[in-house]
Amino acid sequence: EYRILIYSIPFFGILNLLGSLLFVGSLKGNAIKINKKQFPDIYEILESHSRALELKKLPDMYLLQGDGILNAFALKFVQRDYVVLYSYMLEVAYEEGRDAVSFIIGHELGHIKRNHTGFFKSYFLLPAKFIPFLGKAYSRACEYTCDNIGYNLCHKGALKGALILTAGKRLYTRVNINELISNTKSEQDFTMTFSELF
């Protein structure tokens, strides 16, 4: 019934708000805040990209132990923006060079610039997440937009950053890029097209 949907939307909104509150509190208590004295070279990337994107406020950036997860993400809570780098991602910055991480930070700042992380936007788009095509299409469009932003902020790190996220920090150097592109084209069949539609 429509009434169930109408009543469930505020419920999910409150759950989302409480979840964000708990996560940000845990982040502040258990993660390392990146600033001018803590990983200053990474903080410099944050400042530089934020200026280039003309963000009104510099987001807070944290380093979080991620049990081998190679990723980063952005979020907004009570008018404050956050970028979180998993520790494995920062290891890549120091072992493989900063360009890949610069691209990834640029990508996450893109989510902030385009307001993909805003509570009210997420709240109003919540019903779309239950429609298979619409929710996934919007999410993929957001990711493409932020990949373009990351590329424009650090084009040198775009290919390496994408490969690291796909193959991992050890194997990405062994990926044959031409073969990867060729495989993607040759695998373009009904199953892949159907998956991309949804």
Side-chain angles (χ1 to χ4, degrees):
E1 286 191 28
Y2 290 111
R3 281 187 297 185
I4 295 172
L5 183 62
I6 289 168
Y7 292 130
S8 65
I9 290 174
F11 174 74
F12 284 119
I14 292 167
L15 267 180
N16 185 22
L17 187 64
L18 288 174
S20 297
L21 175 69
L22 288 169
F23 180 78
V24 170
S26 175
L27 191 65
K28 290 179 176 182
N30 298 305
I32 297 168
K33 187 172 184 178
I34 295 173
N35 56 37
K36 288 181 180 177
K37 295 180 180 177
Q38 193 76 269
F39 301 104
D41 47 344
I42 302 301
Y43 186 75
E44 186 182 307
I45 294 171
L46 174 69
E47 284 186 313
S48 172
H49 287 351
S50 295
R51 270 194 311 274
L53 291 173
E54 298 178 350
L55 297 180
K56 291 177 183 173
K57 291 182 186 173
L58 187 70
D60 290 336
M61 183 182 276
Y62 286 88
L63 172 65
L64 184 64
Q65 206 293 104
D67 294 322
I69 296 172
L70 188 59
N71 211 345
F73 62 92
L75 72 134
K76 181 187 269 300
F77 181 71
V78 191
Q79 300 303 310
R80 192 80 195 129
D81 293 307
Y82 299 86
V83 173
V84 179
L85 297 177
Y86 284 117
S87 54
Y88 209 52
M89 180 59 65
L90 205 53
E91 286 178 30
V92 169
Y94 289 112
E95 291 178 19
E96 306 295 330
R98 288 177 27 177
D99 287 341
V101 174
S102 180
F103 164 76
I104 291 163
I105 291 171
H107 173 102
E108 298 308 330
L109 290 174
H111 284 297
I112 293 168
K113 176 68 175 177
R114 302 297 303 152
N115 196 30
H116 297 158
T117 58
F119 174 75
F120 290 109
K121 189 171 190 178
S122 299
Y123 183 74
F124 286 115
L125 289 171
L126 183 65
K129 297 200 185 254
F130 297 106
I131 303 169
F133 172 75
L134 193 57
K136 293 283 187 181
Y138 175 74
S139 176
R140 182 57 25 211
C142 290
E143 294 304 318
Y144 284 146
T145 297
C146 294
D147 282 344
N148 283 327
I149 290 170
Y151 178 84
N152 281 290
L153 290 169
C154 185
H155 67 277
K156 289 190 288 185
L159 182 59
K160 188 187 275 191
L163 285 174
I164 288 170
L165 290 174
T166 303
K169 75 172 189 173
R170 301 265 184 255
L171 295 177
Y172 89 92
T173 57
R174 301 181 66 89
V175 174
N176 180 326
I177 296 166
N178 292 329
E179 185 63 18
L180 175 66
I181 293 167
S182 175
N183 285 347
T184 303
K185 289 177 181 174
S186 68
E187 295 289 328
Q188 193 81 31
D189 62 4
F190 174 75
T191 58
M192 188 173 173
T193 304
F194 186 76
S195 173
E196 285 180 349
L197 282 174
F198 286 89

PDB file of all heavy atoms in Angstrom, residues 84-111:
ATOM      1  N   VAL A  84      37.025  10.061   3.525  1.00  0.00           N
ATOM      2  CA  VAL A  84      37.659   8.989   4.295  1.00  0.00           C
ATOM      3  C   VAL A  84      38.502   8.146   3.346  1.00  0.00           C
ATOM      4  O   VAL A  84      38.009   7.664   2.325  1.00  0.00           O
ATOM      5  CB  VAL A  84      36.600   8.115   5.004  1.00  0.00           C
ATOM      6  CG1 VAL A  84      37.277   6.986   5.774  1.00  0.00           C
ATOM      7  CG2 VAL A  84      35.741   8.965   5.935  1.00  0.00           C
ATOM      8  N   LEU A  85      39.774   8.004   3.673  1.00  0.00           N
ATOM      9  CA  LEU A  85      40.685   7.125   2.931  1.00  0.00           C
ATOM     10  C   LEU A  85      40.950   5.893   3.780  1.00  0.00           C
ATOM     11  O   LEU A  85      41.323   6.020   4.950  1.00  0.00           O
ATOM     12  CB  LEU A  85      42.026   7.818   2.665  1.00  0.00           C
ATOM     13  CG  LEU A  85      42.060   9.065   1.808  1.00  0.00           C
ATOM     14  CD1 LEU A  85      43.484   9.611   1.758  1.00  0.00           C
ATOM     15  CD2 LEU A  85      41.570   8.776   0.412  1.00  0.00           C
ATOM     16  N   TYR A  86      40.757   4.730   3.213  1.00  0.00           N
ATOM     17  CA  TYR A  86      41.163   3.520   3.930  1.00  0.00           C
ATOM     18  C   TYR A  86      42.686   3.434   3.914  1.00  0.00           C
ATOM     19  O   TYR A  86      43.344   3.886   2.975  1.00  0.00           O
ATOM     20  CB  TYR A  86      40.535   2.282   3.303  1.00  0.00           C
ATOM     21  CG  TYR A  86      39.067   2.117   3.633  1.00  0.00           C
ATOM     22  CD1 TYR A  86      38.094   2.147   2.637  1.00  0.00           C
ATOM     23  CD2 TYR A  86      38.657   1.932   4.950  1.00  0.00           C
ATOM     24  CE1 TYR A  86      36.753   1.998   2.944  1.00  0.00           C
ATOM     25  CE2 TYR A  86      37.316   1.785   5.266  1.00  0.00           C
ATOM     26  CZ  TYR A  86      36.373   1.815   4.259  1.00  0.00           C
ATOM     27  OH  TYR A  86      35.049   1.668   4.573  1.00  0.00           O
ATOM     28  N   SER A  87      43.242   2.859   4.976  1.00  0.00           N
ATOM     29  CA  SER A  87      44.697   2.848   5.161  1.00  0.00           C
ATOM     30  C   SER A  87      45.426   2.206   3.985  1.00  0.00           C
ATOM     31  O   SER A  87      46.509   2.644   3.602  1.00  0.00           O
ATOM     32  CB  SER A  87      45.056   2.122   6.466  1.00  0.00           C
ATOM     33  OG  SER A  87      44.478   0.838   6.494  1.00  0.00           O
ATOM     34  N   TYR A  88      44.836   1.192   3.407  1.00  0.00           N
ATOM     35  CA  TYR A  88      45.468   0.510   2.273  1.00  0.00           C
ATOM     36  C   TYR A  88      45.655   1.474   1.102  1.00  0.00           C
ATOM     37  O   TYR A  88      46.637   1.406   0.371  1.00  0.00           O
ATOM     38  CB  TYR A  88      44.588  -0.671   1.878  1.00  0.00           C
ATOM     39  CG  TYR A  88      45.313  -1.838   1.265  1.00  0.00           C
ATOM     40  CD1 TYR A  88      46.417  -2.409   1.890  1.00  0.00           C
ATOM     41  CD2 TYR A  88      44.873  -2.397   0.067  1.00  0.00           C
ATOM     42  CE1 TYR A  88      47.074  -3.483   1.322  1.00  0.00           C
ATOM     43  CE2 TYR A  88      45.519  -3.475  -0.494  1.00  0.00           C
ATOM     44  CZ  TYR A  88      46.617  -4.018   0.125  1.00  0.00           C
ATOM     45  OH  TYR A  88      47.270  -5.085  -0.434  1.00  0.00           O
ATOM     46  N   MET A  89      44.684   2.391   0.953  1.00  0.00           N
ATOM     47  CA  MET A  89      44.767   3.389  -0.110  1.00  0.00           C
ATOM     48  C   MET A  89      45.951   4.323   0.113  1.00  0.00           C
ATOM     49  O   MET A  89      46.669   4.680  -0.817  1.00  0.00           O
ATOM     50  CB  MET A  89      43.465   4.194  -0.159  1.00  0.00           C
ATOM     51  CG  MET A  89      43.434   5.263  -1.225  1.00  0.00           C
ATOM     52  SD  MET A  89      43.654   4.634  -2.885  1.00  0.00           S
ATOM     53  CE  MET A  89      42.189   3.645  -3.042  1.00  0.00           C
ATOM     54  N   LEU A  90      46.177   4.712   1.355  1.00  0.00           N
ATOM     55  CA  LEU A  90      47.290   5.608   1.650  1.00  0.00           C
ATOM     56  C   LEU A  90      48.630   4.889   1.476  1.00  0.00           C
ATOM     57  O   LEU A  90      49.611   5.505   1.066  1.00  0.00           O
ATOM     58  CB  LEU A  90      47.161   6.169   3.065  1.00  0.00           C
ATOM     59  CG  LEU A  90      47.845   7.514   3.300  1.00  0.00           C
ATOM     60  CD1 LEU A  90      47.405   8.545   2.280  1.00  0.00           C
ATOM     61  CD2 LEU A  90      47.561   8.023   4.694  1.00  0.00           C
ATOM     62  N   GLU A  91      48.659   3.600   1.756  1.00  0.00           N
ATOM     63  CA  GLU A  91      49.876   2.819   1.504  1.00  0.00           C
ATOM     64  C   GLU A  91      50.246   2.885   0.028  1.00  0.00           C
ATOM     65  O   GLU A  91      51.420   2.977  -0.324  1.00  0.00           O
ATOM     66  CB  GLU A  91      49.670   1.368   1.922  1.00  0.00           C
ATOM     67  CG  GLU A  91      49.663   1.151   3.416  1.00  0.00           C
ATOM     68  CD  GLU A  91      49.399  -0.296   3.781  1.00  0.00           C
ATOM     69  OE1 GLU A  91      49.760  -1.197   2.996  1.00  0.00           O
ATOM     70  OE2 GLU A  91      48.827  -0.525   4.860  1.00  0.00           O
ATOM     71  N   VAL A  92      49.238   2.835  -0.835  1.00  0.00           N
ATOM     72  CA  VAL A  92      49.477   2.938  -2.271  1.00  0.00           C
ATOM     73  C   VAL A  92      50.135   4.270  -2.595  1.00  0.00           C
ATOM     74  O   VAL A  92      51.064   4.348  -3.405  1.00  0.00           O
ATOM     75  CB  VAL A  92      48.153   2.790  -3.068  1.00  0.00           C
ATOM     76  CG1 VAL A  92      48.339   3.152  -4.527  1.00  0.00           C
ATOM     77  CG2 VAL A  92      47.613   1.388  -2.939  1.00  0.00           C
ATOM     78  N   ALA A  93      49.688   5.339  -1.934  1.00  0.00           N
ATOM     79  CA  ALA A  93      50.239   6.673  -2.190  1.00  0.00           C
ATOM     80  C   ALA A  93      51.728   6.709  -1.914  1.00  0.00           C
ATOM     81  O   ALA A  93      52.492   7.348  -2.645  1.00  0.00           O
ATOM     82  CB  ALA A  93      49.524   7.708  -1.333  1.00  0.00           C
ATOM     83  N   TYR A  94      52.148   6.032  -0.872  1.00  0.00           N
ATOM     84  CA  TYR A  94      53.563   6.074  -0.499  1.00  0.00           C
ATOM     85  C   TYR A  94      54.404   5.036  -1.233  1.00  0.00           C
ATOM     86  O   TYR A  94      55.594   5.225  -1.418  1.00  0.00           O
ATOM     87  CB  TYR A  94      53.699   5.938   1.013  1.00  0.00           C
ATOM     88  CG  TYR A  94      53.224   7.177   1.727  1.00  0.00           C
ATOM     89  CD1 TYR A  94      52.087   7.156   2.502  1.00  0.00           C
ATOM     90  CD2 TYR A  94      53.895   8.387   1.584  1.00  0.00           C
ATOM     91  CE1 TYR A  94      51.637   8.308   3.136  1.00  0.00           C
ATOM     92  CE2 TYR A  94      53.452   9.531   2.206  1.00  0.00           C
ATOM     93  CZ  TYR A  94      52.323   9.486   2.982  1.00  0.00           C
ATOM     94  OH  TYR A  94      51.867  10.626   3.598  1.00  0.00           O
ATOM     95  N   GLU A  95      53.795   3.949  -1.680  1.00  0.00           N
ATOM     96  CA  GLU A  95      54.549   2.922  -2.390  1.00  0.00           C
ATOM     97  C   GLU A  95      54.549   3.117  -3.902  1.00  0.00           C
ATOM     98  O   GLU A  95      55.521   2.805  -4.571  1.00  0.00           O
ATOM     99  CB  GLU A  95      53.980   1.533  -2.062  1.00  0.00           C
ATOM    100  CG  GLU A  95      54.241   1.106  -0.631  1.00  0.00           C
ATOM    101  CD  GLU A  95      53.630  -0.249  -0.328  1.00  0.00           C
ATOM    102  OE1 GLU A  95      53.328  -1.009  -1.270  1.00  0.00           O
ATOM    103  OE2 GLU A  95      53.447  -0.541   0.868  1.00  0.00           O
ATOM    104  N   GLU A  96      53.438   3.600  -4.439  1.00  0.00           N
ATOM    105  CA  GLU A  96      53.284   3.653  -5.889  1.00  0.00           C
ATOM    106  C   GLU A  96      53.288   5.065  -6.457  1.00  0.00           C
ATOM    107  O   GLU A  96      53.220   5.245  -7.658  1.00  0.00           O
ATOM    108  CB  GLU A  96      51.972   2.954  -6.302  1.00  0.00           C
ATOM    109  CG  GLU A  96      51.826   1.532  -5.795  1.00  0.00           C
ATOM    110  CD  GLU A  96      52.849   0.593  -6.381  1.00  0.00           C
ATOM    111  OE1 GLU A  96      53.282   0.814  -7.525  1.00  0.00           O
ATOM    112  OE2 GLU A  96      53.224  -0.356  -5.687  1.00  0.00           O
ATOM    113  N   GLY A  97      53.312   6.061  -5.608  1.00  0.00           N
ATOM    114  CA  GLY A  97      53.277   7.438  -6.080  1.00  0.00           C
ATOM    115  C   GLY A  97      51.952   8.093  -5.764  1.00  0.00           C
ATOM    116  O   GLY A  97      50.929   7.426  -5.631  1.00  0.00           O
ATOM    117  N   ARG A  98      51.985   9.420  -5.669  1.00  0.00           N
ATOM    118  CA  ARG A  98      50.818  10.157  -5.210  1.00  0.00           C
ATOM    119  C   ARG A  98      49.762  10.396  -6.278  1.00  0.00           C
ATOM    120  O   ARG A  98      48.618  10.700  -5.956  1.00  0.00           O
ATOM    121  CB  ARG A  98      51.254  11.511  -4.645  1.00  0.00           C
ATOM    122  CG  ARG A  98      51.948  11.415  -3.329  1.00  0.00           C
ATOM    123  CD  ARG A  98      52.439  12.741  -2.823  1.00  0.00           C
ATOM    124  NE  ARG A  98      51.677  13.882  -3.304  1.00  0.00           N
ATOM    125  CZ  ARG A  98      51.897  15.132  -2.944  1.00  0.00           C
ATOM    126  NH1 ARG A  98      52.862  15.406  -2.114  1.00  0.00           N
ATOM    127  NH2 ARG A  98      51.176  16.116  -3.417  1.00  0.00           N
ATOM    128  N   ASP A  99      50.107  10.263  -7.540  1.00  0.00           N
ATOM    129  CA  ASP A  99      49.154  10.622  -8.599  1.00  0.00           C
ATOM    130  C   ASP A  99      47.858   9.822  -8.537  1.00  0.00           C
ATOM    131  O   ASP A  99      46.772  10.371  -8.707  1.00  0.00           O
ATOM    132  CB  ASP A  99      49.792  10.456  -9.982  1.00  0.00           C
ATOM    133  CG  ASP A  99      50.806  11.544 -10.291  1.00  0.00           C
ATOM    134  OD1 ASP A  99      50.758  12.598  -9.616  1.00  0.00           O
ATOM    135  OD2 ASP A  99      51.640  11.341 -11.177  1.00  0.00           O
ATOM    136  N   ALA A 100      47.969   8.514  -8.295  1.00  0.00           N
ATOM    137  CA  ALA A 100      46.770   7.675  -8.237  1.00  0.00           C
ATOM    138  C   ALA A 100      45.866   8.107  -7.096  1.00  0.00           C
ATOM    139  O   ALA A 100      44.648   8.200  -7.247  1.00  0.00           O
ATOM    140  CB  ALA A 100      47.158   6.205  -8.079  1.00  0.00           C
ATOM    141  N   VAL A 101      46.470   8.391  -5.945  1.00  0.00           N
ATOM    142  CA  VAL A 101      45.682   8.815  -4.788  1.00  0.00           C
ATOM    143  C   VAL A 101      45.122  10.216  -5.018  1.00  0.00           C
ATOM    144  O   VAL A 101      44.006  10.525  -4.601  1.00  0.00           O
ATOM    145  CB  VAL A 101      46.517   8.729  -3.496  1.00  0.00           C
ATOM    146  CG1 VAL A 101      45.763   9.299  -2.320  1.00  0.00           C
ATOM    147  CG2 VAL A 101      46.881   7.277  -3.227  1.00  0.00           C
ATOM    148  N   SER A 102      45.864  11.052  -5.720  1.00  0.00           N
ATOM    149  CA  SER A 102      45.385  12.393  -6.057  1.00  0.00           C
ATOM    150  C   SER A 102      44.128  12.299  -6.911  1.00  0.00           C
ATOM    151  O   SER A 102      43.152  13.031  -6.691  1.00  0.00           O
ATOM    152  CB  SER A 102      46.480  13.160  -6.799  1.00  0.00           C
ATOM    153  OG  SER A 102      46.041  14.448  -7.132  1.00  0.00           O
ATOM    154  N   PHE A 103      44.126  11.387  -7.870  1.00  0.00           N
ATOM    155  CA  PHE A 103      42.941  11.162  -8.703  1.00  0.00           C
ATOM    156  C   PHE A 103      41.763  10.705  -7.847  1.00  0.00           C
ATOM    157  O   PHE A 103      40.636  11.193  -7.988  1.00  0.00           O
ATOM    158  CB  PHE A 103      43.242  10.117  -9.788  1.00  0.00           C
ATOM    159  CG  PHE A 103      42.019   9.541 -10.441  1.00  0.00           C
ATOM    160  CD1 PHE A 103      41.299  10.263 -11.379  1.00  0.00           C
ATOM    161  CD2 PHE A 103      41.576   8.270 -10.096  1.00  0.00           C
ATOM    162  CE1 PHE A 103      40.162   9.729 -11.964  1.00  0.00           C
ATOM    163  CE2 PHE A 103      40.440   7.730 -10.682  1.00  0.00           C
ATOM    164  CZ  PHE A 103      39.731   8.451 -11.625  1.00  0.00           C
ATOM    165  N   ILE A 104      42.024   9.773  -6.930  1.00  0.00           N
ATOM    166  CA  ILE A 104      40.947   9.211  -6.098  1.00  0.00           C
ATOM    167  C   ILE A 104      40.393  10.269  -5.141  1.00  0.00           C
ATOM    168  O   ILE A 104      39.173  10.374  -4.956  1.00  0.00           O
ATOM    169  CB  ILE A 104      41.444   7.942  -5.371  1.00  0.00           C
ATOM    170  CG1 ILE A 104      41.655   6.834  -6.413  1.00  0.00           C
ATOM    171  CG2 ILE A 104      40.465   7.498  -4.284  1.00  0.00           C
ATOM    172  CD1 ILE A 104      42.498   5.680  -5.959  1.00  0.00           C
ATOM    173  N   ILE A 105      41.277  11.083  -4.550  1.00  0.00           N
ATOM    174  CA  ILE A 105      40.804  12.181  -3.689  1.00  0.00           C
ATOM    175  C   ILE A 105      39.969  13.154  -4.524  1.00  0.00           C
ATOM    176  O   ILE A 105      38.913  13.625  -4.082  1.00  0.00           O
ATOM    177  CB  ILE A 105      41.985  12.895  -2.996  1.00  0.00           C
ATOM    178  CG1 ILE A 105      42.623  11.968  -1.960  1.00  0.00           C
ATOM    179  CG2 ILE A 105      41.530  14.197  -2.345  1.00  0.00           C
ATOM    180  CD1 ILE A 105      43.926  12.491  -1.371  1.00  0.00           C
ATOM    181  N   GLY A 106      40.430  13.454  -5.738  1.00  0.00           N
ATOM    182  CA  GLY A 106      39.662  14.321  -6.632  1.00  0.00           C
ATOM    183  C   GLY A 106      38.284  13.754  -6.933  1.00  0.00           C
ATOM    184  O   GLY A 106      37.289  14.481  -6.958  1.00  0.00           O
ATOM    185  N   HIS A 107      38.231  12.440  -7.146  1.00  0.00           N
ATOM    186  CA  HIS A 107      36.949  11.764  -7.389  1.00  0.00           C
ATOM    187  C   HIS A 107      36.011  11.961  -6.196  1.00  0.00           C
ATOM    188  O   HIS A 107      34.848  12.323  -6.363  1.00  0.00           O
ATOM    189  CB  HIS A 107      37.200  10.273  -7.634  1.00  0.00           C
ATOM    190  CG  HIS A 107      35.951   9.454  -7.722  1.00  0.00           C
ATOM    191  ND1 HIS A 107      35.424   9.033  -8.919  1.00  0.00           N
ATOM    192  CD2 HIS A 107      35.125   8.979  -6.752  1.00  0.00           C
ATOM    193  CE1 HIS A 107      34.322   8.339  -8.684  1.00  0.00           C
ATOM    194  NE2 HIS A 107      34.115   8.289  -7.374  1.00  0.00           N
ATOM    195  N   GLU A 108      36.525  11.740  -4.983  1.00  0.00           N
ATOM    196  CA  GLU A 108      35.681  11.873  -3.777  1.00  0.00           C
ATOM    197  C   GLU A 108      35.242  13.321  -3.558  1.00  0.00           C
ATOM    198  O   GLU A 108      34.101  13.575  -3.169  1.00  0.00           O
ATOM    199  CB  GLU A 108      36.414  11.328  -2.545  1.00  0.00           C
ATOM    200  CG  GLU A 108      36.762   9.853  -2.621  1.00  0.00           C
ATOM    201  CD  GLU A 108      35.591   8.950  -2.975  1.00  0.00           C
ATOM    202  OE1 GLU A 108      34.429   9.283  -2.632  1.00  0.00           O
ATOM    203  OE2 GLU A 108      35.815   7.911  -3.611  1.00  0.00           O
ATOM    204  N   LEU A 109      36.123  14.264  -3.823  1.00  0.00           N
ATOM    205  CA  LEU A 109      35.742  15.675  -3.717  1.00  0.00           C
ATOM    206  C   LEU A 109      34.691  16.039  -4.768  1.00  0.00           C
ATOM    207  O   LEU A 109      33.876  16.931  -4.556  1.00  0.00           O
ATOM    208  CB  LEU A 109      36.970  16.575  -3.850  1.00  0.00           C
ATOM    209  CG  LEU A 109      37.951  16.523  -2.676  1.00  0.00           C
ATOM    210  CD1 LEU A 109      39.189  17.353  -2.989  1.00  0.00           C
ATOM    211  CD2 LEU A 109      37.311  16.986  -1.380  1.00  0.00           C
ATOM    212  N   GLY A 110      34.713  15.325  -5.885  1.00  0.00           N
ATOM    213  CA  GLY A 110      33.687  15.514  -6.909  1.00  0.00           C
ATOM    214  C   GLY A 110      32.298  15.205  -6.359  1.00  0.00           C
ATOM    215  O   GLY A 110      31.333  15.905  -6.674  1.00  0.00           O
ATOM    216  N   HIS A 111      32.199  14.164  -5.522  1.00  0.00           N
ATOM    217  CA  HIS A 111      30.902  13.840  -4.906  1.00  0.00           C
ATOM    218  C   HIS A 111      30.420  14.998  -4.036  1.00  0.00           C
ATOM    219  O   HIS A 111      29.228  15.313  -4.008  1.00  0.00           O
ATOM    220  CB  HIS A 111      31.017  12.574  -4.057  1.00  0.00           C
ATOM    221  CG  HIS A 111      31.073  11.311  -4.856  1.00  0.00           C
ATOM    222  ND1 HIS A 111      30.042  10.891  -5.664  1.00  0.00           N
ATOM    223  CD2 HIS A 111      32.043  10.362  -4.962  1.00  0.00           C
ATOM    224  CE1 HIS A 111      30.371   9.740  -6.238  1.00  0.00           C
ATOM    225  NE2 HIS A 111      31.583   9.408  -5.828  1.00  0.00           N
TER     226      HIS A 111
END
